[in-house]
């Protein structure tokens, strides 16, 4: 497929467990973004990658959240010691470039729905 | 975190009616975007606006970038059943060029 893919599509975990969410961006896209969408809300920015580096981590809600990107492609968002308030849909997006121009159009994946019991 | 104020939160209309929704912000934005999200899917870009005063159409959709750079609206003409979904405005501030700030969404329901 040519779009952004995410796995798993659904994840149910117990409070206190660690989870890893994966994002495969569109091939050739240098920028990758993670957002969180709580029920009935808009999307909340978490972190942005340009290549393998993360110039903007300002949206990560706590030090339990971390993300990495390897090979300028796949990214993993890790949540340690999950809490019930972490329950949300985690969306990944990628763009050809970054900087606010037309080439910066962000294409979103279908998201991972995380439920923390 | 920073958010856009989007209204209305929900709309219930008859097929064929026109729809209007808007977003406002206390900050200046240099890009305004409108997305549509279907259940279980990620948002899909409908219209992008890059200049104050810009008016852009995409089929039955029309959006404008407000002159003050603090607001935008989206109009849908002659609504059809496939227009059902949640519409989000999003923007970029001058300071945060990469990340998008989203509105809370407008849920559109169309009565047959």
């Amino acid at each position: 497929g040519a779009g952004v893919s995410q796995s798993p599509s659904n994840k149910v975990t117990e409070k206190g467990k660690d989870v890893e969410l994966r994002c495969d961006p569109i091939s050739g896209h240098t920028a990758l973004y993670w957002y969180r969408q709580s029920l009935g809300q808009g999307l909340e920015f978490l972190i942005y990658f340009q290549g393998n580096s993360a110039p903007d981590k300002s949206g990560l809600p706590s030090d339990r959240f971390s993300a990495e990107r390897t090979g300028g492609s796949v990214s993993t968002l890790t949540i340690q010691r999950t809490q019930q308030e972490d329950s949300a849909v985690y969306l990944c997006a990628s763009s050809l470039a970054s900087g606010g121009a037309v080439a910066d159009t962000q294409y979103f994946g279908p998201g991972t729905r995380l439920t923390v019991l | 975190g920073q958010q856009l104020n989007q209204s209305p939160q929900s709309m219930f209309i008859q097929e064929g009616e026109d729809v209007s929704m808007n977003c406002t912000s206390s900050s200046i934005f240099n890009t305004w975007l409108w997305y549509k999200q279907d259940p279980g899917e990620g948002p899909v870009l409908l219209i992008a606006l890059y200049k104050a005063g810009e008016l852009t159409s995409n089929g039955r959709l029309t959006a404008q970038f407000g002159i003050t750079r603090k607001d935008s609206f989206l109009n849908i003409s002659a609504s059809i059943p496939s227009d059902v979904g949640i519409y989000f405005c999003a923007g970029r501030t001058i300071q945060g060029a990469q990340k998008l700030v989203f509105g809370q969404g407008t849920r559109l329901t169309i009565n047959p």
Side-chain angles (χ1 to χ4, degrees):
Chain A
V4 177
S5 61
Q6 293 185 245
S7 61
S9 55
N10 281 283
K11 177 71 176 178
V12 180
T13 190
E14 294 179 346
K15 177 181 172 181
K17 294 286 180 68
D18 297 350
V19 295
E20 284 190 354
L21 313 179
R22 176 187 169 107
C23 172
D24 284 87
I26 294 173
S27 177
H29 280 195
T30 62
L32 186 148
Y33 313 77
W34 283 99
Y35 292 85
R36 178 169 70 174
Q37 185 176 27
S38 299
L39 186 63
Q41 298 296 314
L43 281 68
E44 173 191 7
F45 170 81
L46 297 178
I47 187 170
Y48 147 71
F49 286 92
Q50 178 58 48
N52 291 335
S53 63
D56 190 348
K57 306 179 183 179
S58 62
L60 294 178
S62 75
D63 58 8
R64 297 186 295 105
F65 288 72
S66 63
E68 65 175 13
R69 189 179 185 197
T70 56
S73 181
V74 172
S75 176
T76 302
L77 177 69
T78 300
I79 309 173
Q80 295 178 309
R81 304 181 303 281
T82 52
Q83 303 294 313
Q84 288 183 332
E85 61 263 29
D86 298 335
S87 297
V89 176
Y90 289 82
L91 289 153
C92 173
S94 70
S95 64
L96 188 61
S98 64
V102 175
D104 191 16
T105 298
Q106 295 183 24
Y107 297 88
F108 284 84
T112 294
R113 181 175 297 277
L114 175 65
T115 303
V116 182
L117 302 177
Chain B
Q2 183 179 33
Q3 269 205 323
L4 300 175
N5 296 313
Q6 184 172 350
S7 64
Q9 287 187 322
S10 59
M11 301 185 73
F12 299 84
I13 64 169
Q14 297 294 124
E15 184 177 348
E17 288 185 6
D18 297 343
V19 172
S20 184
M21 59 192 78
N22 69 83
C23 272
T24 61
S25 171
S26 57
S27 303
I28 290 175
F29 281 72
N30 66 353
T31 302
W32 283 94
L33 307 166
W34 286 91
Y35 284 87
K36 179 174 183 271
Q37 186 176 30
D38 292 326
E41 302 291 329
V44 174
L45 182 65
L46 299 174
I47 292 181
L49 302 158
Y50 298 102
K51 294 192 308 183
E54 181 179 355
L55 182 71
T56 297
S57 293
N58 178 8
R60 293 177 297 105
L61 278 61
T62 302
Q64 185 160 31
F65 192 143
I67 290 292
T68 65
R69 300 170 70 186
K70 293 183 178 182
D71 65 302
S72 177
F73 72 74
L74 173 70
N75 288 341
I76 305 173
S77 63
S79 58
I80 60 177
S82 61
D83 291 335
V84 167
I86 303 177
Y87 293 79
F88 290 98
C89 61
R92 291 192 187 91
T93 63
I94 296 173
Q95 295 80 9
Q98 289 78 29
K99 68 182 180 184
L100 295 178
V101 177
F102 280 81
Q104 303 94 325
T106 295
R107 181 180 295 273
L108 179 62
T109 302
I110 298 178
N111 299 318

